Amino acid sequence: MLRRRNNGLSVYNPFREMDNFERHFFDDPFDFFSDGSIADFKTDITDEGDYYKLEADLPGFAKEDIHLEINDNTLTLSAERHSEHEDKDKHGKYVRCERSYGSFRRAFDISNVKADDIKAKYHNGVLTLTMPKKEIAPPSNGRTLEIE
């Protein structure tokens, strides 16, 4: 029989501490529940040529509980899911409770997007935004300046 001889002491691992630091350092500052824990809705943004496509997984949300707001060059996507049960009911009945309830919020820079032309649709738990790109002026032909 093999026995461990560390008497239940845990070994300090500085690399684990650095991994935890990096994981939390690069978190999105707008990506929080109202109670401060990390939100769990993910997005994909793809370049489709003349527009960007943003897809956000929001399963279990009613369309009415999803809000999009544009302020300056920032698009804020927020959603709120309400619990059907009160906390007092949860303690007595649940064997496991993993679904999240609360407010979810993400913010995105849209400085390269025509904000007035953004279109949104919600189908089967996925919010899809079509965001046309701003036209970038081609570089002007150079010219030579005379020195006086």
Side-chain angles (χ1 to χ4, degrees), residues 36-79:
S37 59
I38 300 296
D40 196 30
F41 82 82
K42 305 296 182 194
T43 61
D44 290 335
I45 301 173
T46 56
D47 186 338
E48 301 294 329
D50 57 342
Y51 67 95
Y52 297 105
K53 181 169 74 172
L54 182 147
E55 293 178 303
D57 287 340
L58 294 165
F61 284 93
K63 185 168 92 171
E64 300 78 32
D65 292 333
I66 300 170
H67 305 284
L68 298 168
E69 182 178 310
I70 297 173
N71 191 2
D72 294 325
N73 287 324
T74 302
L75 168 71
T76 303
L77 191 166
S78 60

Tab-separated table of all heavy atoms in Angstrom, residues 36-79:
chain	number	residue	atom	x	y	z
A	36	GLY	N	-21.395	40.129	-9.628
A	36	GLY	CA	-19.953	40.232	-9.725
A	36	GLY	C	-19.254	39.007	-10.269
A	36	GLY	O	-18.071	39.047	-10.532
A	37	SER	N	-19.938	37.901	-10.481
A	37	SER	CA	-19.273	36.720	-11.024
A	37	SER	C	-19.223	36.817	-12.543
A	37	SER	O	-19.961	37.571	-13.159
A	37	SER	CB	-19.994	35.451	-10.573
A	37	SER	OG	-21.332	35.483	-10.995
A	38	ILE	N	-18.353	36.050	-13.161
A	38	ILE	CA	-18.138	36.145	-14.599
A	38	ILE	C	-19.350	35.623	-15.371
A	38	ILE	O	-19.887	34.574	-15.073
A	38	ILE	CB	-16.887	35.332	-15.001
A	38	ILE	CG1	-15.660	35.875	-14.288
A	38	ILE	CG2	-16.680	35.337	-16.498
A	38	ILE	CD1	-15.294	37.288	-14.653
A	39	ALA	N	-19.757	36.377	-16.377
A	39	ALA	CA	-20.887	35.978	-17.218
A	39	ALA	C	-20.461	34.855	-18.153
A	39	ALA	O	-19.291	34.658	-18.404
A	39	ALA	CB	-21.374	37.171	-18.022
A	40	ASP	N	-21.438	34.148	-18.679
A	40	ASP	CA	-21.121	32.967	-19.470
A	40	ASP	C	-21.747	33.014	-20.851
A	40	ASP	O	-22.075	31.992	-21.397
A	40	ASP	CB	-21.574	31.724	-18.707
A	40	ASP	CG	-20.945	30.467	-19.276
A	40	ASP	OD1	-19.829	30.539	-19.795
A	40	ASP	OD2	-21.597	29.422	-19.211
A	41	PHE	N	-21.949	34.192	-21.427
A	41	PHE	CA	-22.405	34.158	-22.820
A	41	PHE	C	-21.238	34.549	-23.710
A	41	PHE	O	-20.484	35.451	-23.444
A	41	PHE	CB	-23.680	34.967	-23.045
A	41	PHE	CG	-23.558	36.446	-23.232
A	41	PHE	CD1	-23.222	36.976	-24.460
A	41	PHE	CD2	-23.839	37.309	-22.203
A	41	PHE	CE1	-23.151	38.338	-24.654
A	41	PHE	CE2	-23.774	38.670	-22.374
A	41	PHE	CZ	-23.425	39.187	-23.599
A	42	LYS	N	-21.067	33.774	-24.749
A	42	LYS	CA	-19.908	33.894	-25.625
A	42	LYS	C	-20.317	34.474	-26.964
A	42	LYS	O	-21.452	34.316	-27.402
A	42	LYS	CB	-19.257	32.517	-25.844
A	42	LYS	CG	-18.875	31.812	-24.567
A	42	LYS	CD	-17.815	32.560	-23.803
A	42	LYS	CE	-17.428	31.779	-22.561
A	42	LYS	NZ	-16.664	32.568	-21.635
A	43	THR	N	-19.361	35.139	-27.611
A	43	THR	CA	-19.629	35.726	-28.914
A	43	THR	C	-18.543	35.333	-29.909
A	43	THR	O	-17.403	35.074	-29.534
A	43	THR	CB	-19.675	37.269	-28.843
A	43	THR	OG1	-18.415	37.741	-28.398
A	43	THR	CG2	-20.761	37.753	-27.917
A	44	ASP	N	-18.923	35.295	-31.172
A	44	ASP	CA	-17.994	35.143	-32.285
A	44	ASP	C	-18.202	36.349	-33.185
A	44	ASP	O	-19.344	36.736	-33.462
A	44	ASP	CB	-18.286	33.879	-33.103
A	44	ASP	CG	-17.960	32.604	-32.357
A	44	ASP	OD1	-17.114	32.647	-31.450
A	44	ASP	OD2	-18.559	31.566	-32.696
A	45	ILE	N	-17.111	36.938	-33.650
A	45	ILE	CA	-17.191	38.042	-34.591
A	45	ILE	C	-16.368	37.647	-35.811
A	45	ILE	O	-15.192	37.309	-35.678
A	45	ILE	CB	-16.664	39.356	-33.986
A	45	ILE	CG1	-17.466	39.713	-32.736
A	45	ILE	CG2	-16.738	40.484	-35.022
A	45	ILE	CD1	-16.914	40.900	-31.969
A	46	THR	N	-17.012	37.667	-36.975
A	46	THR	CA	-16.313	37.290	-38.202
A	46	THR	C	-16.337	38.458	-39.180
A	46	THR	O	-17.273	39.267	-39.186
A	46	THR	CB	-16.951	36.050	-38.859
A	46	THR	OG1	-18.344	36.300	-39.098
A	46	THR	CG2	-16.813	34.825	-37.971
A	47	ASP	N	-15.287	38.534	-40.012
A	47	ASP	CA	-15.188	39.538	-41.062
A	47	ASP	C	-15.755	38.915	-42.331
A	47	ASP	O	-15.200	37.960	-42.862
A	47	ASP	CB	-13.721	39.930	-41.248
A	47	ASP	CG	-13.541	41.072	-42.228
A	47	ASP	OD1	-14.437	41.310	-43.068
A	47	ASP	OD2	-12.487	41.726	-42.156
A	48	GLU	N	-16.871	39.443	-42.792
A	48	GLU	CA	-17.566	38.883	-43.952
A	48	GLU	C	-17.336	39.720	-45.209
A	48	GLU	O	-18.144	39.687	-46.128
A	48	GLU	CB	-19.065	38.774	-43.657
A	48	GLU	CG	-19.409	37.911	-42.453
A	48	GLU	CD	-19.060	36.445	-42.657
A	48	GLU	OE1	-19.111	35.973	-43.811
A	48	GLU	OE2	-18.727	35.781	-41.662
A	49	GLY	N	-16.258	40.470	-45.253
A	49	GLY	CA	-15.958	41.293	-46.427
A	49	GLY	C	-16.420	42.716	-46.226
A	49	GLY	O	-15.686	43.553	-45.724
A	50	ASP	N	-17.679	43.005	-46.586
A	50	ASP	CA	-18.179	44.368	-46.442
A	50	ASP	C	-18.946	44.584	-45.135
A	50	ASP	O	-19.458	45.670	-44.895
A	50	ASP	CB	-19.042	44.763	-47.650
A	50	ASP	CG	-20.217	43.818	-47.859
A	50	ASP	OD1	-20.192	42.697	-47.322
A	50	ASP	OD2	-21.160	44.206	-48.586
A	51	TYR	N	-19.014	43.558	-44.291
A	51	TYR	CA	-19.660	43.699	-42.978
A	51	TYR	C	-19.038	42.724	-41.985
A	51	TYR	O	-18.363	41.766	-42.351
A	51	TYR	CB	-21.174	43.481	-43.080
A	51	TYR	CG	-21.600	42.073	-43.430
A	51	TYR	CD1	-21.941	41.174	-42.428
A	51	TYR	CD2	-21.669	41.647	-44.746
A	51	TYR	CE1	-22.323	39.875	-42.740
A	51	TYR	CE2	-22.058	40.369	-45.075
A	51	TYR	CZ	-22.385	39.479	-44.065
A	51	TYR	OH	-22.758	38.203	-44.376
A	52	TYR	N	-19.259	43.016	-40.705
A	52	TYR	CA	-18.876	42.106	-39.632
A	52	TYR	C	-20.136	41.394	-39.166
A	52	TYR	O	-21.226	41.973	-39.159
A	52	TYR	CB	-18.279	42.857	-38.435
A	52	TYR	CG	-17.003	43.595	-38.745
A	52	TYR	CD1	-17.000	44.974	-38.879
A	52	TYR	CD2	-15.806	42.905	-38.884
A	52	TYR	CE1	-15.836	45.662	-39.158
A	52	TYR	CE2	-14.630	43.593	-39.165
A	52	TYR	CZ	-14.649	44.962	-39.293
A	52	TYR	OH	-13.489	45.631	-39.569
A	53	LYS	N	-19.973	40.137	-38.784
A	53	LYS	CA	-21.107	39.388	-38.230
A	53	LYS	C	-20.758	39.007	-36.794
A	53	LYS	O	-19.733	38.384	-36.546
A	53	LYS	CB	-21.404	38.144	-39.054
A	53	LYS	CG	-22.601	37.359	-38.510
A	53	LYS	CD	-23.073	36.279	-39.466
A	53	LYS	CE	-22.111	35.114	-39.483
A	53	LYS	NZ	-22.623	33.962	-40.247
A	54	LEU	N	-21.594	39.418	-35.860
A	54	LEU	CA	-21.441	39.069	-34.457
A	54	LEU	C	-22.536	38.084	-34.106
A	54	LEU	O	-23.712	38.350	-34.363
A	54	LEU	CB	-21.549	40.317	-33.573
A	54	LEU	CG	-21.353	40.118	-32.076
A	54	LEU	CD1	-20.694	41.350	-31.473
A	54	LEU	CD2	-22.647	39.816	-31.346
A	55	GLU	N	-22.138	36.939	-33.542
A	55	GLU	CA	-23.110	35.953	-33.080
A	55	GLU	C	-22.875	35.747	-31.590
A	55	GLU	O	-21.750	35.474	-31.170
A	55	GLU	CB	-22.952	34.635	-33.825
A	55	GLU	CG	-23.310	34.744	-35.291
A	55	GLU	CD	-23.104	33.449	-36.033
A	55	GLU	OE1	-21.965	32.926	-36.020
A	55	GLU	OE2	-24.075	32.954	-36.626
A	56	ALA	N	-23.942	35.904	-30.811
A	56	ALA	CA	-23.859	35.746	-29.363
A	56	ALA	C	-24.805	34.628	-28.941
A	56	ALA	O	-25.979	34.632	-29.304
A	56	ALA	CB	-24.234	37.045	-28.657
A	57	ASP	N	-24.272	33.678	-28.179
A	57	ASP	CA	-25.103	32.594	-27.650
A	57	ASP	C	-25.840	33.091	-26.421
A	57	ASP	O	-25.227	33.428	-25.413
A	57	ASP	CB	-24.243	31.386	-27.278
A	57	ASP	CG	-23.735	30.636	-28.497
A	57	ASP	OD1	-24.319	30.801	-29.577
A	57	ASP	OD2	-22.756	29.880	-28.351
A	58	LEU	N	-27.165	33.141	-26.526
A	58	LEU	CA	-28.018	33.589	-25.422
A	58	LEU	C	-29.179	32.616	-25.234
A	58	LEU	O	-30.345	33.004	-25.295
A	58	LEU	CB	-28.540	35.003	-25.705
A	58	LEU	CG	-27.475	36.093	-25.744
A	58	LEU	CD1	-28.018	37.355	-26.390
A	58	LEU	CD2	-26.972	36.377	-24.357
A	59	PRO	N	-28.888	31.341	-25.005
A	59	PRO	CA	-29.977	30.370	-24.870
A	59	PRO	C	-30.802	30.634	-23.619
A	59	PRO	O	-30.269	31.030	-22.579
A	59	PRO	CB	-29.242	29.030	-24.769
A	59	PRO	CG	-27.904	29.374	-24.241
A	59	PRO	CD	-27.578	30.738	-24.793
A	60	GLY	N	-32.092	30.440	-23.748
A	60	GLY	CA	-32.980	30.586	-22.608
A	60	GLY	C	-33.444	32.005	-22.351
A	60	GLY	O	-34.202	32.247	-21.415
A	61	PHE	N	-33.031	32.952	-23.164
A	61	PHE	CA	-33.471	34.338	-22.998
A	61	PHE	C	-34.666	34.608	-23.886
A	61	PHE	O	-34.730	34.140	-25.022
A	61	PHE	CB	-32.357	35.320	-23.397
A	61	PHE	CG	-31.267	35.445	-22.392
A	61	PHE	CD1	-30.138	34.660	-22.483
A	61	PHE	CD2	-31.370	36.342	-21.339
A	61	PHE	CE1	-29.123	34.768	-21.563
A	61	PHE	CE2	-30.363	36.457	-20.416
A	61	PHE	CZ	-29.238	35.668	-20.518
A	62	ALA	N	-35.594	35.391	-23.380
A	62	ALA	CA	-36.689	35.889	-24.213
A	62	ALA	C	-36.161	37.082	-25.000
A	62	ALA	O	-35.312	37.831	-24.499
A	62	ALA	CB	-37.866	36.311	-23.342
A	63	LYS	N	-36.626	37.260	-26.209
A	63	LYS	CA	-36.170	38.367	-27.052
A	63	LYS	C	-36.374	39.710	-26.347
A	63	LYS	O	-35.556	40.612	-26.470
A	63	LYS	CB	-36.918	38.329	-28.383
A	63	LYS	CG	-36.440	39.354	-29.391
A	63	LYS	CD	-37.001	39.083	-30.770
A	63	LYS	CE	-38.283	39.839	-30.963
A	63	LYS	NZ	-38.772	39.781	-32.341
A	64	GLU	N	-37.442	39.815	-25.577
A	64	GLU	CA	-37.760	41.057	-24.869
A	64	GLU	C	-36.747	41.376	-23.767
A	64	GLU	O	-36.672	42.510	-23.302
A	64	GLU	CB	-39.159	40.979	-24.246
A	64	GLU	CG	-40.275	40.763	-25.242
A	64	GLU	CD	-40.385	39.303	-25.715
A	64	GLU	OE1	-40.084	38.376	-24.938
A	64	GLU	OE2	-40.773	39.097	-26.882
A	65	ASP	N	-35.989	40.377	-23.325
A	65	ASP	CA	-35.022	40.585	-22.243
A	65	ASP	C	-33.616	40.887	-22.752
A	65	ASP	O	-32.679	40.998	-21.966
A	65	ASP	CB	-34.974	39.351	-21.331
A	65	ASP	CG	-36.274	39.174	-20.560
A	65	ASP	OD1	-36.966	40.184	-20.318
A	65	ASP	OD2	-36.597	38.029	-20.201
A	66	ILE	N	-33.468	41.016	-24.078
A	66	ILE	CA	-32.171	41.331	-24.678
A	66	ILE	C	-32.216	42.781	-25.154
A	66	ILE	O	-33.163	43.190	-25.828
A	66	ILE	CB	-31.872	40.389	-25.863
A	66	ILE	CG1	-31.850	38.937	-25.393
A	66	ILE	CG2	-30.546	40.764	-26.520
A	66	ILE	CD1	-31.794	37.933	-26.519
A	67	HIS	N	-31.189	43.556	-24.784
A	67	HIS	CA	-31.161	44.979	-25.121
A	67	HIS	C	-29.836	45.334	-25.793
A	67	HIS	O	-28.772	44.897	-25.347
A	67	HIS	CB	-31.353	45.827	-23.866
A	67	HIS	CG	-32.597	45.471	-23.118
A	67	HIS	ND1	-33.852	45.850	-23.533
A	67	HIS	CD2	-32.778	44.729	-22.009
A	67	HIS	CE1	-34.754	45.364	-22.702
A	67	HIS	NE2	-34.127	44.674	-21.762
A	68	LEU	N	-29.941	46.117	-26.850
A	68	LEU	CA	-28.773	46.615	-27.572
A	68	LEU	C	-28.782	48.133	-27.491
A	68	LEU	O	-29.805	48.755	-27.760
A	68	LEU	CB	-28.809	46.175	-29.038
A	68	LEU	CG	-28.787	44.673	-29.269
A	68	LEU	CD1	-29.117	44.354	-30.710
A	68	LEU	CD2	-27.435	44.111	-28.894
A	69	GLU	N	-27.640	48.694	-27.116
A	69	GLU	CA	-27.548	50.149	-26.980
A	69	GLU	C	-26.248	50.617	-27.625
A	69	GLU	O	-25.194	50.002	-27.438
A	69	GLU	CB	-27.553	50.507	-25.495
A	69	GLU	CG	-27.515	51.979	-25.219
A	69	GLU	CD	-27.565	52.255	-23.729
A	69	GLU	OE1	-28.453	51.703	-23.044
A	69	GLU	OE2	-26.703	53.007	-23.255
A	70	ILE	N	-26.347	51.695	-28.389
A	70	ILE	CA	-25.164	52.278	-29.014
A	70	ILE	C	-24.944	53.649	-28.402
A	70	ILE	O	-25.849	54.488	-28.375
A	70	ILE	CB	-25.334	52.396	-30.543
A	70	ILE	CG1	-25.477	51.003	-31.152
A	70	ILE	CG2	-24.160	53.156	-31.151
A	70	ILE	CD1	-25.808	50.988	-32.616
A	71	ASN	N	-23.725	53.843	-27.907
A	71	ASN	CA	-23.350	55.122	-27.318
A	71	ASN	C	-21.949	55.451	-27.821
A	71	ASN	O	-21.003	54.729	-27.528
A	71	ASN	CB	-23.392	55.032	-25.798
A	71	ASN	CG	-23.265	56.381	-25.136
A	71	ASN	OD1	-23.182	57.397	-25.809
A	71	ASN	ND2	-23.251	56.386	-23.826
A	72	ASP	N	-21.841	56.542	-28.583
A	72	ASP	CA	-20.587	56.909	-29.245
A	72	ASP	C	-20.149	55.732	-30.130
A	72	ASP	O	-20.896	55.312	-30.977
A	72	ASP	CB	-19.511	57.299	-28.240
A	72	ASP	CG	-19.868	58.585	-27.500
A	72	ASP	OD1	-20.485	59.473	-28.128
A	72	ASP	OD2	-19.550	58.701	-26.306
A	73	ASN	N	-18.971	55.178	-29.898
A	73	ASN	CA	-18.464	54.066	-30.701
A	73	ASN	C	-18.511	52.748	-29.941
A	73	ASN	O	-17.705	51.856	-30.193
A	73	ASN	CB	-17.028	54.356	-31.167
A	73	ASN	CG	-16.991	55.404	-32.243
A	73	ASN	OD1	-17.870	55.471	-33.087
A	73	ASN	ND2	-15.974	56.237	-32.212
A	74	THR	N	-19.453	52.627	-29.019
A	74	THR	CA	-19.559	51.419	-28.212
A	74	THR	C	-20.951	50.824	-28.334
A	74	THR	O	-21.950	51.516	-28.139
A	74	THR	CB	-19.255	51.720	-26.725
A	74	THR	OG1	-17.951	52.288	-26.634
A	74	THR	CG2	-19.318	50.464	-25.888
A	75	LEU	N	-20.992	49.547	-28.668
A	75	LEU	CA	-22.238	48.784	-28.693
A	75	LEU	C	-22.279	47.965	-27.411
A	75	LEU	O	-21.346	47.209	-27.121
A	75	LEU	CB	-22.274	47.842	-29.898
A	75	LEU	CG	-23.374	46.787	-29.896
A	75	LEU	CD1	-24.737	47.434	-30.131
A	75	LEU	CD2	-23.104	45.738	-30.944
A	76	THR	N	-23.330	48.133	-26.629
A	76	THR	CA	-23.483	47.367	-25.395
A	76	THR	C	-24.628	46.389	-25.571
A	76	THR	O	-25.738	46.777	-25.932
A	76	THR	CB	-23.749	48.284	-24.188
A	76	THR	OG1	-22.675	49.220	-24.087
A	76	THR	CG2	-23.845	47.481	-22.901
A	77	LEU	N	-24.334	45.126	-25.350
A	77	LEU	CA	-25.316	44.048	-25.423
A	77	LEU	C	-25.582	43.613	-23.988
A	77	LEU	O	-24.653	43.243	-23.279
A	77	LEU	CB	-24.720	42.901	-26.237
A	77	LEU	CG	-25.597	41.760	-26.678
A	77	LEU	CD1	-24.877	40.965	-27.741
A	77	LEU	CD2	-26.030	40.882	-25.569
A	78	SER	N	-26.826	43.705	-23.558
A	78	SER	CA	-27.165	43.270	-22.206
A	78	SER	C	-28.404	42.394	-22.261
A	78	SER	O	-29.235	42.520	-23.158
A	78	SER	CB	-27.378	44.464	-21.277
A	78	SER	OG	-28.424	45.285	-21.743
A	79	ALA	N	-28.477	41.495	-21.311
A	79	ALA	CA	-29.620	40.588	-21.235
A	79	ALA	C	-29.859	40.252	-19.779
A	79	ALA	O	-28.934	40.252	-18.969
A	79	ALA	CB	-29.350	39.319	-22.041
